[in-house]
Amino acid sequence: MIAAPDALITTCAALSLSVRAVGGAIGYSIYYNIFAGKLKVKLPALVAEYAIKAGLPLAQAELFVVTYLTAPTEVSKLPGITAEILEGALTGSQWAYAESLRYVWYTSIAFGICAMIAAAFIPNTKKFQTNRVAVAL
């Protein structure tokens, strides 16, 4: 908008906002799909791992994980489930979320690098930077 003619400032502002909104929606979709894909793999594995470390018998692991992830209110009704096992499953869930979110940050680094490269190619706008106010609010 710095270099836009006075008659097109509102059009440039509207286009800028539209591009940001569409870019944000696309970015959110990318981030969500990465997060959900990683979580789908890591959540059952880490819940089982931490629950087994807390004392869950290996033979009950599959039933426990399925119940814990699909009907968490029913998990305490399973035979042999202790507070330590539930605490272990909770810790596994927390680590699964944390490890899955890591990949979203890695992806944002790539977007950041692309933005910096694009910014390096912006031409000099010094000739447009004056004290003239096109539209007073």
Side-chain angles (χ1 to χ4, degrees), residues 40-102:
K40 185 178 181 181
V41 173
K42 290 184 178 292
L43 187 59
L46 289 176
V47 166
E49 177 185 333
Y50 279 83
I52 290 169
K53 285 181 184 177
L56 179 69
L58 195 53
Q60 282 187 287
E62 186 175 349
L63 175 62
F64 174 81
V65 170
V66 169
T67 307
Y68 183 82
L69 296 177
T70 58
T73 57
E74 303 295 318
V75 77
S76 61
K77 296 176 184 172
L78 294 174
I81 301 304
T82 64
E84 291 81 19
I85 294 172
L86 292 174
E87 185 67 31
L90 176 63
T91 302
S93 296
Q94 292 169 337
W95 277 109
Y97 276 88
E99 289 184 14
S100 298
L101 190 60
R102 173 187 323 175

